[in-house]
Coordinates of all heavy atoms in Angstrom, one line a residue:
I333 N 45.2 420.2 85.5 CA 46.6 420.2 85.4 C 46.9 420.3 83.9 O 46.4 419.6 83.1 CB 47.2 418.8 85.9 CG1 46.9 418.7 87.4 CG2 48.7 418.8 85.6 CD1 47.3 417.4 88.0
Q334 N 47.8 421.2 83.6 CA 48.2 421.5 82.2 C 49.7 421.3 82.1 O 50.5 421.8 82.9 CB 47.8 422.9 81.8 CG 48.1 423.1 80.3 CD 47.5 424.4 79.9 OE1 46.9 425.2 80.6 NE2 47.8 424.8 78.6
L335 N 50.2 420.6 81.1 CA 51.6 420.3 80.9 C 52.2 421.3 79.9 O 51.5 421.8 79.0 CB 51.8 418.9 80.3 CG 51.2 417.8 81.2 CD1 51.4 416.5 80.5 CD2 51.9 417.7 82.5
D336 N 53.4 421.7 80.1 CA 54.1 422.6 79.2 C 54.4 422.0 77.9 O 54.3 422.7 76.8 CB 55.4 423.1 79.8 CG 55.2 423.9 81.1 OD1 54.2 424.6 81.2 OD2 56.1 423.9 81.9
S337 N 54.7 420.7 77.9 CA 54.9 420.0 76.6 C 54.4 418.6 76.8 O 54.3 418.1 77.9 CB 56.4 420.0 76.3 OG 57.1 419.4 77.3
P338 N 54.1 417.9 75.7 CA 53.7 416.5 75.8 C 54.7 415.6 76.5 O 55.9 415.7 76.2 CB 53.5 416.0 74.4 CG 53.4 417.3 73.6 CD 54.2 418.3 74.3
P339 N 54.3 414.8 77.4 CA 55.3 413.9 78.1 C 55.8 412.8 77.2 O 55.1 412.4 76.2 CB 54.5 413.4 79.3 CG 53.1 413.4 78.8 CD 53.0 414.6 77.9
R340 N 57.0 412.3 77.5 CA 57.5 411.1 76.8 C 56.7 409.9 77.2 O 56.4 409.7 78.4 CB 58.9 410.9 77.1 CG 59.6 409.8 76.3 CD 61.0 409.6 76.7 NE 60.9 408.7 77.8 CZ 61.9 408.2 78.5 NH1 63.1 408.7 78.2 NH2 61.8 407.4 79.5
V341 N 56.2 409.1 76.3 CA 55.4 407.9 76.6 C 56.3 406.7 76.4 O 57.0 406.5 75.4 CB 54.2 407.8 75.7 CG1 53.4 406.5 75.9 CG2 53.3 409.0 75.9
R342 N 56.2 405.8 77.3 CA 56.9 404.5 77.2 C 56.0 403.4 77.6 O 55.4 403.4 78.7 CB 58.2 404.5 78.2 CG 59.0 403.2 78.0 CD 60.2 403.3 78.8 NE 60.3 402.1 79.6 CZ 60.9 401.9 80.7 NH1 61.5 403.0 81.3 NH2 60.9 400.8 81.4
H343 N 55.8 402.4 76.8 CA 54.9 401.3 77.1 C 55.8 400.2 77.6 O 56.9 399.9 77.1 CB 54.2 400.8 75.8 CG 53.3 401.9 75.2 ND1 52.0 402.0 75.6 CD2 53.5 402.8 74.3 CE1 51.5 403.0 75.0 NE2 52.4 403.5 74.1
D344 N 55.4 399.7 78.8 CA 56.2 398.6 79.4 C 55.3 397.4 79.7 O 54.4 397.4 80.5 CB 56.7 399.2 80.7 CG 57.8 398.3 81.4 OD1 57.7 397.1 81.2 OD2 58.6 398.8 82.1
E345 N 55.6 396.4 79.0 CA 54.8 395.1 79.0 C 54.9 394.5 80.4 O 54.0 393.7 80.8 CB 55.2 394.1 78.0 CG 55.0 394.6 76.6 CD 53.5 394.7 76.3 OE1 52.7 393.9 76.7 OE2 53.1 395.7 75.6
R346 N 55.9 394.8 81.2 CA 56.0 394.3 82.6 C 54.8 394.7 83.5 O 54.5 394.1 84.5 CB 57.3 394.7 83.2 CG 58.5 394.1 82.5 CD 59.8 394.7 83.2 NE 59.8 396.1 83.1 CZ 60.6 396.9 83.9 NH1 61.5 396.3 84.7 NH2 60.5 398.2 83.8
L347 N 54.2 395.8 83.1 CA 53.1 396.4 83.9 C 51.8 395.6 83.8 O 50.9 395.6 84.7 CB 52.8 397.8 83.6 CG 54.0 398.8 83.8 CD1 53.6 400.2 83.3 CD2 54.4 398.8 85.2
Y348 N 51.6 394.9 82.7 CA 50.4 394.2 82.4 C 50.2 393.1 83.4 O 51.0 392.2 83.6 CB 50.4 393.6 81.0 CG 49.1 393.0 80.6 CD1 48.0 393.9 80.3 CD2 48.9 391.7 80.5 CE1 46.8 393.4 79.9 CE2 47.6 391.1 80.2 CZ 46.6 392.0 79.8 OH 45.4 391.5 79.5
E349 N 49.1 393.1 84.2 CA 48.7 392.2 85.2 C 49.8 392.0 86.3 O 49.9 391.0 86.9 CB 48.4 390.8 84.6 CG 47.2 390.8 83.7 CD 46.7 389.5 83.3 OE1 47.3 388.4 83.7 OE2 45.7 389.4 82.5
A350 N 50.6 393.1 86.5 CA 51.6 393.0 87.5 C 51.0 393.2 88.9 O 50.0 393.9 89.1 CB 52.6 394.1 87.3
S351 N 51.6 392.5 89.9 CA 51.1 392.7 91.3 C 51.6 394.0 91.8 O 52.5 394.7 91.2 CB 51.8 391.6 92.2 OG 53.2 391.8 92.3
A352 N 51.1 394.5 92.9 CA 51.5 395.7 93.6 C 53.0 395.7 93.9 O 53.7 396.7 93.7 CB 50.7 396.0 94.8
Q353 N 53.5 394.5 94.4 CA 55.0 394.4 94.7 C 55.8 394.5 93.4 O 56.9 395.2 93.4 CB 55.2 393.1 95.4 CG 54.8 393.0 96.8 CD 55.5 393.9 97.7 OE1 56.7 394.3 97.5 NE2 54.9 394.3 98.8
R354 N 55.3 394.0 92.3 CA 56.1 394.1 91.0 C 56.1 395.5 90.5 O 57.1 396.0 90.1 CB 55.5 393.2 90.0 CG 56.3 393.2 88.7 CD 55.8 392.1 87.8 NE 56.4 392.2 86.5 CZ 57.6 391.7 86.1 NH1 58.4 391.1 87.0 NH2 58.1 391.9 84.9
L355 N 54.9 396.2 90.7 CA 54.9 397.6 90.3 C 55.9 398.4 91.1 O 56.5 399.3 90.6 CB 53.5 398.2 90.4 CG 52.4 397.6 89.5 CD1 51.0 398.1 89.9 CD2 52.7 397.9 88.0
L356 N 56.0 398.1 92.4 CA 56.9 398.8 93.2 C 58.4 398.6 92.8 O 59.2 399.5 92.7 CB 56.8 398.4 94.7 CG 57.8 399.1 95.7 CD1 57.7 400.6 95.6 CD2 57.5 398.5 97.1
R357 N 58.7 397.3 92.5 CA 60.0 397.0 92.0 C 60.4 397.8 90.7 O 61.5 398.2 90.5 CB 60.2 395.5 91.8 CG 60.3 394.8 93.1 CD 60.8 393.3 93.0 NE 59.9 392.5 92.1 CZ 58.8 391.9 92.5 NH1 58.4 392.0 93.8 NH2 58.1 391.2 91.7
I358 N 59.4 397.9 89.8 CA 59.6 398.6 88.5 C 59.8 400.1 88.8 O 60.7 400.7 88.3 CB 58.3 398.4 87.6 CG1 58.3 396.9 87.1 CG2 58.4 399.4 86.4 CD1 57.0 396.5 86.4
A359 N 59.0 400.7 89.7 CA 59.1 402.1 90.1 C 60.5 402.3 90.7 O 61.1 403.4 90.5 CB 58.0 402.5 91.1
Q360 N 61.0 401.4 91.5 CA 62.3 401.6 92.2 C 63.5 401.7 91.2 O 64.5 402.1 91.6 CB 62.5 400.5 93.2 CG 61.6 400.6 94.4 CD 61.7 399.4 95.3 OE1 61.9 398.2 94.8 NE2 61.4 399.6 96.6
K361 N 63.2 401.2 90.0 CA 64.3 401.2 89.0 C 64.2 402.4 88.0 O 65.0 402.5 87.1 CB 64.3 399.9 88.2 CG 64.7 398.7 89.1 CD 64.7 397.4 88.4 CE 65.1 396.4 89.4 NZ 65.0 395.0 88.9
L362 N 63.2 403.3 88.2 CA 63.1 404.5 87.4 C 64.3 405.4 87.6 O 64.9 405.4 88.7 CB 61.8 405.2 87.7 CG 60.5 404.5 87.3 CD1 59.3 405.1 88.0 CD2 60.4 404.5 85.8
P363 N 64.7 406.1 86.5 CA 65.8 407.0 86.7 C 65.5 408.1 87.8 O 64.4 408.6 87.9 CB 65.9 407.7 85.3 CG 65.2 406.8 84.4 CD 64.1 406.1 85.2
R364 N 66.6 408.4 88.5 CA 66.5 409.3 89.6 C 65.9 410.7 89.2 O 65.2 411.3 89.9 CB 67.8 409.5 90.3 CG 67.9 410.4 91.5 CD 69.3 410.5 92.0 NE 69.2 411.2 93.3 CZ 69.3 410.6 94.5 NH1 69.4 409.3 94.5 NH2 69.2 411.3 95.6
E365 N 66.3 411.1 88.0 CA 65.9 412.4 87.5 C 64.4 412.5 87.0 O 63.9 413.6 86.8 CB 66.8 412.9 86.4 CG 66.8 412.1 85.1 CD 67.7 410.9 85.1 OE1 68.4 410.6 86.2 OE2 67.8 410.2 84.1
T366 N 63.8 411.4 87.0 CA 62.4 411.3 86.6 C 61.5 411.8 87.7 O 61.5 411.2 88.8 CB 61.9 409.9 86.2 OG1 62.8 409.5 85.1 CG2 60.5 409.8 85.7
S367 N 60.8 412.9 87.5 CA 60.0 413.5 88.7 C 58.5 413.1 88.7 O 57.9 413.1 89.7 CB 60.1 415.0 88.6 OG 59.6 415.5 87.4
T368 N 58.0 412.7 87.5 CA 56.6 412.4 87.4 C 56.4 411.1 86.5 O 57.0 411.0 85.5 CB 55.8 413.5 86.8 OG1 56.0 414.7 87.6 CG2 54.3 413.2 86.7
V369 N 55.6 410.2 87.0 CA 55.3 409.0 86.3 C 53.8 408.7 86.4 O 53.2 408.9 87.4 CB 56.1 407.8 86.9 CG1 55.7 406.5 86.2 CG2 57.6 408.0 86.8
V370 N 53.3 408.2 85.3 CA 51.9 407.8 85.2 C 51.8 406.3 84.9 O 52.3 405.9 83.9 CB 51.1 408.6 84.1 CG1 49.7 408.1 84.0 CG2 51.2 410.1 84.4
F371 N 51.2 405.6 85.9 CA 51.0 404.2 85.7 C 49.5 404.0 85.2 O 48.6 404.5 85.9 CB 51.1 403.4 87.0 CG 52.6 403.2 87.4 CD1 53.3 404.1 88.1 CD2 53.2 402.0 87.1 CE1 54.5 403.9 88.5 CE2 54.5 401.7 87.4 CZ 55.2 402.7 88.2
V372 N 49.4 403.4 84.0 CA 48.0 403.2 83.5 C 47.8 401.7 83.5 O 48.7 401.0 82.9 CB 47.9 403.8 82.1 CG1 46.5 403.5 81.5 CG2 48.2 405.3 82.1
G373 N 46.7 401.2 84.1 CA 46.5 399.8 84.1 C 45.2 399.4 84.6 O 44.2 400.2 84.5
H374 N 45.1 398.2 85.2 CA 43.8 397.6 85.6 C 43.9 397.2 87.0 O 44.9 397.2 87.7 CB 43.6 396.3 84.7 CG 43.5 396.6 83.3 ND1 42.3 397.1 82.7 CD2 44.4 396.5 82.3 CE1 42.5 397.2 81.4 NE2 43.8 396.9 81.1
N375 N 42.7 396.9 87.5 CA 42.6 396.4 88.9 C 42.6 394.9 88.9 O 42.3 394.3 87.9 CB 41.3 396.9 89.5 CG 41.6 398.3 90.1 OD1 42.7 398.6 90.6 ND2 40.6 399.2 89.9
P376 N 43.0 394.3 90.0 CA 43.2 395.0 91.3 C 44.6 395.6 91.5 O 44.9 396.2 92.5 CB 43.0 393.9 92.3 CG 43.5 392.6 91.6 CD 43.1 392.8 90.2
S377 N 45.4 395.5 90.5 CA 46.8 395.9 90.6 C 47.0 397.4 91.1 O 47.8 397.6 92.0 CB 47.6 395.7 89.3 OG 47.6 394.4 88.9
L378 N 46.3 398.3 90.4 CA 46.5 399.7 90.8 C 45.9 400.0 92.2 O 46.5 400.8 92.9 CB 45.9 400.6 89.7 CG 46.7 400.5 88.4 CD1 46.0 401.4 87.3 CD2 48.1 400.8 88.5
E379 N 44.8 399.5 92.5 CA 44.2 399.7 93.9 C 45.2 399.2 94.9 O 45.5 399.8 95.9 CB 42.9 399.0 94.1 CG 41.7 399.7 93.4 CD 40.4 398.9 93.6 OE1 40.4 397.7 94.0 OE2 39.4 399.4 93.2
D380 N 45.8 398.0 94.6 CA 46.7 397.4 95.6 C 48.0 398.2 95.6 O 48.6 398.3 96.7 CB 47.0 395.9 95.1 CG 45.8 395.0 95.3 OD1 44.8 395.4 95.9 OD2 45.9 393.9 94.7
F381 N 48.4 398.7 94.5 CA 49.7 399.5 94.5 C 49.5 400.8 95.3 O 50.3 401.2 96.1 CB 50.0 399.9 93.0 CG 51.3 400.5 92.8 CD1 52.5 400.1 93.4 CD2 51.4 401.6 91.9 CE1 53.7 400.6 93.1 CE2 52.6 402.2 91.6 CZ 53.8 401.7 92.2
L382 N 48.3 401.5 95.2 CA 48.0 402.6 96.0 C 48.0 402.3 97.4 O 48.6 403.0 98.2 CB 46.6 403.2 95.6 CG 46.2 404.3 96.5 CD1 46.7 405.7 95.9 CD2 44.7 404.4 96.6
E383 N 47.4 401.2 97.8 CA 47.4 400.8 99.2 C 48.8 400.5 99.7 O 49.1 400.8 100.8 CB 46.4 399.6 99.4 CG 46.3 399.3 100.9 CD 45.2 398.2 101.1 OE1 44.6 397.7 100.1 OE2 45.1 397.8 102.3
L384 N 49.6 399.8 98.9 CA 50.9 399.4 99.3 C 51.8 400.7 99.6 O 52.4 400.8 100.6 CB 51.6 398.6 98.2 CG 53.0 398.2 98.4 CD1 53.2 397.2 99.5 CD2 53.7 397.7 97.1
L385 N 51.7 401.7 98.7 CA 52.5 402.9 98.8 C 52.0 403.8 99.9 O 52.8 404.5 100.6 CB 52.6 403.6 97.5 CG 53.3 402.9 96.4 CD1 53.2 403.7 95.1 CD2 54.7 402.6 96.8
T386 N 50.7 404.0 100.0 CA 50.1 405.0 100.9 C 49.4 404.5 102.2 O 49.2 405.3 103.1 CB 49.1 405.9 100.1 OG1 47.9 405.1 99.9 CG2 49.7 406.5 98.9
G387 N 49.0 403.2 102.1 CA 48.2 402.7 103.2 C 46.8 403.0 103.1 O 45.9 402.6 103.9
A388 N 46.4 403.8 102.0 CA 45.0 404.1 101.8 C 44.3 403.1 101.0 O 44.8 402.7 99.9 CB 44.9 405.5 101.1
E389 N 43.2 402.6 101.5 CA 42.4 401.6 100.7 C 41.3 402.3 100.0 O 40.4 402.9 100.6 CB 41.8 400.6 101.7 CG 41.2 399.4 101.0 CD 40.7 398.3 101.9 OE1 41.4 398.2 103.0 OE2 39.8 397.7 101.6
R390 N 41.4 402.4 98.7 CA 40.4 403.1 97.8 C 39.9 402.1 96.7 O 40.6 401.3 96.3 CB 41.0 404.3 97.2 CG 41.4 405.4 98.2 CD 40.3 406.0 98.9 NE 40.6 407.2 99.7 CZ 41.1 407.1 100.9 NH1 41.2 406.0 101.6 NH2 41.3 408.3 101.6
I391 N 38.7 402.4 96.2 CA 38.2 401.7 95.1 C 38.4 402.5 93.8 O 38.1 403.7 93.8 CB 36.7 401.4 95.3 CG1 36.5 400.5 96.5 CG2 36.0 400.8 94.0 CD1 35.0 400.2 96.8
F392 N 39.0 401.9 92.8 CA 39.2 402.6 91.5 C 38.1 402.2 90.6 O 38.0 401.0 90.2 CB 40.5 402.2 90.9 CG 41.7 402.9 91.5 CD1 41.8 403.3 92.8 CD2 42.8 403.1 90.7 CE1 42.9 403.9 93.3 CE2 44.0 403.7 91.2 CZ 44.0 404.1 92.5
K393 N 37.3 403.1 90.2 CA 36.3 402.9 89.1 C 37.0 403.2 87.8 O 38.1 403.7 87.8 CB 35.1 403.8 89.3 CG 34.3 403.5 90.6 CD 33.2 404.5 90.7 CE 32.4 404.2 92.0 NZ 31.3 405.1 92.2
T394 N 36.4 402.9 86.7 CA 37.0 403.1 85.4 C 37.5 404.5 85.3 O 36.7 405.5 85.6 CB 35.9 402.8 84.3 OG1 35.5 401.4 84.4 CG2 36.5 403.0 82.9
S395 N 38.7 404.7 84.8 CA 39.3 406.0 84.6 C 39.7 406.7 85.8 O 39.9 408.0 85.7 CB 38.5 406.8 83.6 OG 38.3 406.2 82.4
T396 N 39.7 406.1 87.0 CA 40.1 406.8 88.2 C 41.5 407.3 88.1 O 42.4 406.6 87.6 CB 39.9 405.9 89.4 OG1 38.5 405.7 89.6 CG2 40.4 406.6 90.7
L397 N 41.8 408.5 88.6 CA 43.1 409.0 88.7 C 43.5 409.3 90.1 O 42.8 409.9 90.9 CB 43.2 410.3 87.9 CG 44.4 411.2 88.0 CD1 45.6 410.4 87.3 CD2 44.2 412.5 87.4
A398 N 44.7 408.7 90.5 CA 45.2 409.0 91.9 C 46.5 409.8 91.8 O 47.3 409.4 90.9 CB 45.4 407.7 92.6
I399 N 46.6 410.8 92.5 CA 47.9 411.6 92.6 C 48.5 411.3 93.9 O 47.9 411.6 95.0 CB 47.6 413.1 92.3 CG1 47.0 413.3 91.0 CG2 48.9 413.8 92.5 CD1 46.6 414.7 90.7
M400 N 49.8 410.8 93.8 CA 50.5 410.5 95.0 C 51.9 411.2 95.0 O 52.4 411.4 93.9 CB 50.8 409.0 95.1 CG 49.5 408.1 95.2 SD 49.9 406.4 95.2 CE 50.6 406.0 93.6
T401 N 52.4 411.6 96.1 CA 53.7 412.2 96.2 C 54.5 411.5 97.3 O 54.0 410.8 98.1 CB 53.5 413.7 96.6 OG1 52.9 413.8 97.9 CG2 52.7 414.5 95.6
T402 N 55.8 411.8 97.1 CA 56.8 411.2 98.1 C 58.0 412.1 98.2 O 58.4 412.7 97.2 CB 57.2 409.7 97.7 OG1 58.0 409.2 98.7 CG2 57.9 409.7 96.4
P403 N 58.6 412.2 99.3 CA 59.8 412.9 99.5 C 61.1 412.1 99.1 O 62.2 412.7 99.1 CB 59.8 413.3 101.0 CG 59.2 412.2 101.6 CD 58.1 411.7 100.6
V404 N 61.0 410.9 98.9 CA 62.1 410.0 98.6 C 62.3 409.8 97.1 O 61.5 410.0 96.3 CB 62.0 408.6 99.3 CG1 61.9 408.8 100.8 CG2 60.8 407.8 98.8
T405 N 63.5 409.3 96.8 CA 63.8 409.0 95.4 C 63.1 407.7 95.0 O 62.7 406.9 95.9 CB 65.3 408.9 95.1 OG1 65.8 407.8 95.9 CG2 66.0 410.1 95.5
W406 N 63.1 407.4 93.7 CA 62.4 406.1 93.2 C 63.1 404.9 93.9 O 62.3 404.0 94.3 CB 62.5 406.0 91.7 CG 61.7 407.0 91.0 CD1 62.2 408.1 90.3 CD2 60.3 407.1 91.0 NE1 61.1 408.9 89.8 CE2 60.0 408.3 90.2 CE3 59.3 406.4 91.5 CZ2 58.7 408.7 89.9 CZ3 58.0 406.8 91.2 CH2 57.7 407.9 90.5
N407 N 64.4 404.8 93.9 CA 65.0 403.6 94.5 C 64.8 403.5 96.0 O 65.0 402.4 96.5 CB 66.5 403.5 94.1 CG 67.3 404.6 94.7 OD1 66.9 405.7 95.0 ND2 68.6 404.3 94.9
E408 N 64.4 404.6 96.6 CA 64.1 404.5 98.1 C 62.6 404.3 98.4 O 62.2 404.1 99.5 CB 64.5 405.8 98.7 CG 66.0 406.1 98.7 CD 66.3 407.5 99.1 OE1 65.6 408.5 98.8 OE2 67.4 407.7 99.7
A409 N 61.8 404.3 97.3 CA 60.4 404.1 97.5 C 60.1 402.8 98.2 O 60.7 401.8 97.8 CB 59.6 404.2 96.1
K410 N 59.2 402.8 99.1 CA 58.8 401.6 99.9 C 57.4 401.7 100.4 O 56.8 402.8 100.3 CB 59.8 401.3 101.0 CG 59.8 402.4 102.0 CD 60.8 402.2 103.1 CE 60.8 403.3 104.1 NZ 61.8 403.4 105.0
T411 N 56.9 400.7 101.0 CA 55.6 400.7 101.6 C 55.4 401.8 102.6 O 56.3 402.0 103.4 CB 55.4 399.3 102.3 OG1 55.5 398.3 101.4 CG2 54.0 399.2 102.9
G412 N 54.4 402.6 102.4 CA 54.1 403.6 103.3 C 54.9 404.9 103.1 O 54.7 405.9 103.9
S413 N 55.7 405.0 102.1 CA 56.5 406.2 101.9 C 55.9 407.3 101.0 O 56.5 408.2 100.7 CB 57.9 405.8 101.3 OG 57.8 405.3 100.0
W414 N 54.6 407.1 100.6 CA 53.9 408.0 99.8 C 52.7 408.6 100.5 O 52.1 408.0 101.4 CB 53.4 407.2 98.5 CG 54.5 406.7 97.7 CD1 55.4 405.7 98.0 CD2 55.0 407.2 96.4 NE1 56.3 405.5 97.0 CE2 56.1 406.5 96.0 CE3 54.5 408.2 95.6 CZ2 56.7 406.7 94.8 CZ3 55.2 408.5 94.4 CH2 56.3 407.7 94.0
T415 N 52.2 409.7 99.9 CA 51.0 410.3 100.4 C 50.0 410.4 99.3 O 50.3 410.9 98.2 CB 51.3 411.8 100.9 OG1 52.2 411.7 102.0 CG2 50.0 412.5 101.4
L416 N 48.7 410.0 99.5 CA 47.7 410.2 98.5 C 47.2 411.6 98.6 O 46.7 412.1 99.6 CB 46.5 409.2 98.8 CG 45.3 409.3 97.9 CD1 45.7 409.1 96.4 CD2 44.2 408.4 98.3
E417 N 47.5 412.4 97.5 CA 47.1 413.8 97.5 C 45.7 414.0 97.0 O 45.0 414.9 97.4 CB 48.1 414.6 96.6 CG 49.5 414.5 97.1 CD 49.7 415.3 98.4 OE1 48.9 416.1 98.8 OE2 50.7 415.0 99.1
M418 N 45.3 413.2 96.0 CA 43.9 413.4 95.4 C 43.5 412.1 94.7 O 44.4 411.4 94.1 CB 44.0 414.5 94.4 CG 42.6 414.8 93.8 SD 42.6 416.3 92.7 CE 43.5 415.6 91.3
L419 N 42.2 411.8 94.7 CA 41.7 410.7 94.0 C 40.5 411.3 93.2 O 39.6 411.9 93.8 CB 41.2 409.6 94.9 CG 40.8 408.3 94.3 CD1 42.0 407.5 93.8 CD2 40.0 407.5 95.3
T420 N 40.4 411.1 91.9 CA 39.4 411.7 91.1 C 38.7 410.5 90.4 O 39.3 409.7 89.8 CB 40.0 412.6 90.0 OG1 40.6 413.7 90.7 CG2 38.9 413.3 89.2
T421 N 37.4 410.6 90.4 CA 36.6 409.5 89.8 C 36.1 410.0 88.4 O 36.2 411.2 88.1 CB 35.3 409.2 90.6 OG1 34.4 410.3 90.6 CG2 35.6 408.8 92.0
P422 N 35.7 409.1 87.5 CA 35.3 409.5 86.2 C 34.1 410.4 86.1 O 33.9 411.1 85.1 CB 35.0 408.2 85.5 CG 34.8 407.2 86.6 CD 35.6 407.7 87.8
R423 N 33.4 410.5 87.2 CA 32.2 411.4 87.2 C 32.6 412.8 87.6 O 31.7 413.7 87.8 CB 31.2 410.9 88.3 CG 30.6 409.6 87.9 CD 29.7 409.1 89.0 NE 29.2 407.8 89.0 CZ 29.7 406.6 88.6 NH1 30.8 406.6 87.9 NH2 29.1 405.5 88.7
G424 N 33.9 413.1 87.7 CA 34.3 414.4 87.9 C 34.3 414.8 89.4 O 34.6 415.9 89.8
Q425 N 34.1 413.8 90.3 CA 34.1 414.1 91.7 C 35.6 414.0 92.2 O 36.2 413.0 92.0 CB 33.3 413.1 92.4 CG 31.8 413.0 92.0 CD 31.1 411.8 92.5 OE1 31.7 410.8 92.9 NE2 29.8 411.9 92.6
A426 N 36.1 415.1 92.7 CA 37.4 415.1 93.2 C 37.4 415.4 94.7 O 36.5 416.0 95.2 CB 38.2 416.2 92.5
G427 N 38.3 414.8 95.3 CA 38.4 415.1 96.8 C 39.8 414.7 97.3 O 40.6 414.2 96.6
P428 N 40.0 415.0 98.6 CA 41.3 414.7 99.2 C 41.4 413.2 99.3 O 40.4 412.4 99.2 CB 41.2 415.3 100.5 CG 39.7 415.4 100.8 CD 39.0 415.6 99.5
G429 N 42.7 412.7 99.3 CA 43.0 411.3 99.5 C 42.3 410.7 100.7 O 41.7 409.8 100.9

């Protein structure tokens, strides 16, 4: 994936050690016009967040990247409203969700 321009970065202290439910509440408050967001964090929070949104139970090794999509707006995001499109491990193994 290549970006046309560097994305705006915002550090949010609320994400540190946040539960999956808290991550969802934070996501639900994102501006409607925001189309792409990257959550960077630790486990078990991110594994739990993925499972909450997609229903997929996956193990995140160091530097794992999950790409999820949804047809709904941020404030409409809820449990099960997302699809896991891809999960990539640090060893370069990529595969379907």
Side-chain angles (χ1 to χ4, degrees):
I333 299 173
Q334 185 174 359
L335 303 174
D336 294 332
S337 61
R340 188 183 84 182
V341 176
R342 184 175 130 206
H343 299 275
D344 190 329
E345 294 297 320
R346 297 175 302 166
L347 300 176
Y348 188 74
E349 294 187 4
S351 68
Q353 287 291 338
R354 182 169 173 86
L355 292 173
L356 177 58
R357 287 191 301 274
I358 291 167
Q360 290 169 330
K361 293 180 180 173
L362 290 167
R364 184 182 189 99
E365 64 275 3
T366 302
S367 63
T368 303
V369 173
V370 177
F371 283 85
V372 179
H374 300 279
N375 277 323
S377 299
L378 292 180
E379 285 177 349
D380 293 346
F381 190 44
L382 174 88
E383 185 174 358
L384 176 71
L385 294 177
T386 68
E389 189 175 330
R390 299 291 192 272
I391 295 173
F392 280 31
K393 295 179 182 178
T394 302
S395 301
T396 293
L397 173 68
I399 298 176
M400 300 180 290
T401 59
T402 185
V404 301
T405 63
W406 291 111
N407 66 331
E408 297 170 323
K410 62 183 179 189
T411 301
S413 65
W414 295 72
T415 300
L416 176 60
E417 299 292 341
M418 185 176 70
L419 189 77
T420 301
T421 67
R423 292 173 190 36
Q425 301 167 340

